[in-house]
Every structure is written in C-alpha cells, then in structure tokens.
Amino acid sequence: MMTRAAPFIAGAAMLIAAPSFAQDAAVAVEAAVPVPDKGDTTWMLVSAILVMMMTLPGLALFYGGLVRAKNMLSVLMQVLTVFSLMAILWVAFGYSLAFTGAGTAEDVTFFTPYIGGLSKMFLSGVGTDSVVEGFTAGVVIPELSFVIFQMAFACIASALIVGATAERLKFSAILMFIVIWFVFSYLPMAHMVWWWGGPSAYDAPSGLLFGHGALDFAGGTVIHINAGVAGLVAAMVAGPRLGYRKELLAPHNLSFTLIGGCLLWIGWFGFNAGSNLEANGLTALAMINTAVATAAGVLAWSFGEWAFRGHPSLLGGISGAIAGLVGITPAAGFVGPMGAIAIGLIAGLLCMWFVISMKPRMGIDDSLDVFGIHGIGGIIGAILTGVFAAPSLGGTGVFDYGANAVAEFSMGAQVWNQTLGVVIAIVWSGVVSFVAIHIVKALIGLRVTDTDERQGLDITTHGENAYN
C-alpha cells in the first residue's frame, strides 16, 4: 500500500494572471484531493485495537492455560515482551521495509518484488496529513491508522511462535529467534503479498505474490503459514520437552484457554473485517464470514473428536474455533457465507486429524500445536480461497482495476496462484527459521538446564510464581 502523492498545483504565473480562474482552480483541486472519511478512520482504529487485544490478553491467556502451572508466567512474559519488541521494530524499520518500494517500472530493482526500502525508517514522512489508498479508487485512510493496524498484525504473528517452543527455551533464545525471523521472513512475506500501488496505480510495481495474483485477504500466508512453519522448525531443532510422550503434560487451566480463545475470536473481527481498510458492505461480508467459519470449525472439531475419541472436549472445541478462524483469514473478503462455512468445516476436521493423528507420528514436540492449527489451517484456507472465491459458488471473484469490473474467474488458475503462495511461504519461512534457530543455538544456546525445566520457568527464569 503506497502513500498517495500530493496533488499537482497550477503554476504561479497562471494564478497571478487570472485571479478568478486561480480561485476556481484551487477549489477544484481541493475538491479532488481524497479526504479520509471519519467512519473509515474510526473503523480502522477500532480494528487495530481489536487485533492488539488478540495478543494481549487473548493469545497470552490462550497459551497460558495450555501449559503447566509452573510455566504459566513464562508464556505470559514471552507474549508480552514479543509484542512490545515487535511494536518498536515495526515503527523503526518494519513498516518501511514491508510497505515501500519502487514507484515506477524504471525504479524497479532485483529486490523490489521481495522487500521494500528504508525511506520511511522511524516513520519518516508519515504525518497526520499523509494518507494511503484502500481497495476503492479515491478512498483513503490516514497513513498512521494503517501503520498501527499493520503493527498489530506483526505483533501477533511473532507472538504465535511462542507456543511451539513453550516450557523449555531460554527467554533470550526465543526473543533472538523471533527478531531474526521477523526481519528476514515476516517483512519480506508481508511485502510480497500485500504491497502494491493501490487502485489508482494498479499497474505500478508490486510484491511478488501480489503480482502473481495470489489472494490473501488478511494473512493466511503472511501470518499463519509463516509463523506455523517457524514454530515447527524451532520445535524440531530445540527438541522435545522433558517427559514428552512419557509423562502427562496436560493444560493446567482450560478456563483461561477458553477466555483467551474467545478474545481471539472477537478480536479476529478486526483482524479480518479491518483488512478491507474501509467500512462498507465488503467489511460486513468479511465479518459474517469470520463468525460462521469459526462456528463451523468448533462443530467440526467437536463432533469429529466425539466420533473418533468418544467425547467432545472443550479443548477440542476451542481449538476448532481457532482452526476455523485461521482457515477463513485469507478468504474472508473473497468468499460468500456458505463458502466460509465449508472452509471452517474442512479446516476444523483436517486440523483435528493432523493434531490427533499426524503429530504423534512426526515426533516433533510442537507444544501448543502452532503448526497443527496455524500452519495446516493457513494452508487449507489459502488454497480453498481459490475455490470458493468463484462467483458461481457465491464468492466475489477477482476485481480487475483496469477494466473496473470483476474479471472472468478461472478456478484452476486461481488455485494454482494460491498454491504458489503457499509453497513460497513454507519454503521461505522454513529456510529463514532453520538458519535463525541454528544461529541462536550457536551464539547463546536454546534450552534451559534440565533442572530449571523440571522446576519450571516461572521461578527459574522470572523469579516468581503464577499462583501463591
């Protein structure tokens, strides 16, 4: 999303020679300058707050309830610190690297499709009067509202990784790993998927996957696959927790997990519907899709577990909710409500199958199923976006800004574009994460001592207990 340039002003000589004409011209120019609508601006600010709530306290409580009591505070502290660290890095250089780039074909370099520049480092030039264009030509929002909204995305994407290595990594190790991943995986993926010139410059240079036509409304590839793969790689290299598959490593407080999961669900309305960047009918579509896909995920996992295990568990139900949320994320503004229900059902069932059946066979201790839910759910949602975006199935299709109309839809071509995005996200995040975790391992080591792990990270790392 590129900042729109200031309007061209008539020459000074014309203003002096023809005062009345100058006044008329000035009025016309002023009328042509896009002005943010207060309703759109308010919605974007509220959406940013909702997404921040997803991390603090939503994700923190969701993860905290899933670990053992002796590690509750360690997870809360990791989520809190990662959120805070990413917020600073985002305004320092993250926003600039993700959402700037060449303005014309002549300015394009080898790196343009993959990463931006540092022209807006420390938010240089981003003031209260600068705006960005959304997905409707001439409709703008304050650039600062876009900065804070995308900052919230970067924070939760990074915090998701914490769940994969919970209960065994050094505090310093998880922070260093996430910082490296953020710079070399999150920022390039955000640029590749979401950076473009906007409707008024639709033919300007864009990110690699955006240019290929991959659809990702709110972050299936950028956030969920990206973070899920990072968590899987980190968990694999770090090794399992002591007692994994030998001792009971049960959640200590599923009430906290339910509260955190429900906060995630409510916050996700800002996550998905806010990604439309304005308040209109498409925003409402993204919101209802988020509601019904999540409900479908709850039912799919609960009834699937009931059929295969003989009981529908609360942990399964709330896990199904997150699976449905993840699945609908890339599709939220491209599919109809019936398509959203189908995506939620499929994501809930397949994520349940992976967590229950495939994860034990892999032997990787992804503590809180970050890959099993976010990675698998993101893959399912991204690919199925190419199916249910079809107008024949109730979807919105793909808008052609050149023709100013919905383009002819090819399901096969779109599924290929979606699959390409999935593959690039998996490979990119996998390579970056593998290198990053080994750098951390070589420099400071990954794991706490066995004694500290048995005693619990709350007291050994942070010097306090969750419960006294």
Side-chain angles (χ1 to χ4, degrees), residues 91 128 133 159 225 229 292 304 323 333 407:
V91 298
T128 55
E133 192 175 41
I225 297 175
V229 170
V292 297

Side-chain angles (χ1 to χ4, degrees), residues 14 29 35 48 64 99 106 117 146-147 257 259 263 290 296 324 343 448 467:
M14 294 178 63
V29 170
V35 177
F99 290 104
E106 291 74 21
F146 184 69
V147 172
T257 298
I259 293 170
L263 287 170
T290 302
I343 290 174
V448 299
Y467 309 99

Side-chain angles (χ1 to χ4, degrees), residues 180-265:
I180 298 172
W181 174 85
F182 169 76
V183 174
F184 294 101
S185 188
Y186 182 82
L187 296 179
M189 282 302 305
H191 183 84
M192 285 190 281
V193 173
W194 285 331
W195 176 70
W196 69 310
S200 297
Y202 61 87
D203 54 352
S206 63
L208 178 71
L209 290 174
F210 190 96
H212 277 289
L215 304 176
D216 190 348
F217 195 79
T221 51
V222 179
I223 295 176
H224 298 293
I225 297 175
N226 202 359
V229 170
L232 183 69
V233 171
M236 177 183 68
V237 176
R241 290 167 288 179
L242 296 177
Y244 178 64
R245 303 184 70 176
K246 297 177 182 178
E247 303 172 6
L248 180 64
L249 305 178
H252 89 282
N253 195 324
L254 286 178
S255 298
F256 281 165
T257 298
L258 176 67
I259 293 170
C262 291
L263 287 170
L264 282 166
W265 188 345

Side-chain angles (χ1 to χ4, degrees), residues 101-169:
T104 64
E106 291 74 21
D107 299 326
V108 170
T109 68
F110 172 80
F111 296 103
T112 298
Y114 305 97
I115 195 68
L118 296 174
S119 61
K120 294 188 178 181
M121 193 173 182
F122 300 112
L123 299 187
S124 174
V126 181
T128 55
D129 58 346
S130 58
V131 297
V132 294
E133 192 175 41
F135 298 102
T136 303
V139 176
V140 298
I141 56 173
E143 188 172 10
L144 285 171
S145 70
F146 184 69
V147 172
I148 188 69
F149 182 68
Q150 287 294 337
M151 184 196 82
F153 272 51
C155 291
I156 192 168
S158 303
L160 286 174
I161 300 171
V162 165
T165 56
E167 302 194 295
R168 60 196 186 276
L169 251 62

Side-chain angles (χ1 to χ4, degrees), residues 36-90:
D37 178 82
K38 289 186 178 181
D40 292 338
T41 302
T42 300
W43 170 241
M44 290 310 302
L45 295 175
V46 169
S47 294
I49 293 169
L50 287 171
V51 179
M52 285 187 278
M53 184 191 73
M54 291 172 66
T55 309
L56 301 171
L59 186 68
L61 287 174
F62 182 79
Y63 279 173
L66 289 173
V67 297
R68 290 166 289 179
K70 63 183 179 181
N71 294 312
M72 170 70 166
L73 290 184
S74 71
V75 171
L76 299 184
M77 186 60 179
Q78 286 174 24
V79 173
L80 174 65
T81 308
V82 166
F83 179 96
S84 303
L85 186 57
M86 292 306 108
I88 301 302
L89 294 183
W90 183 253

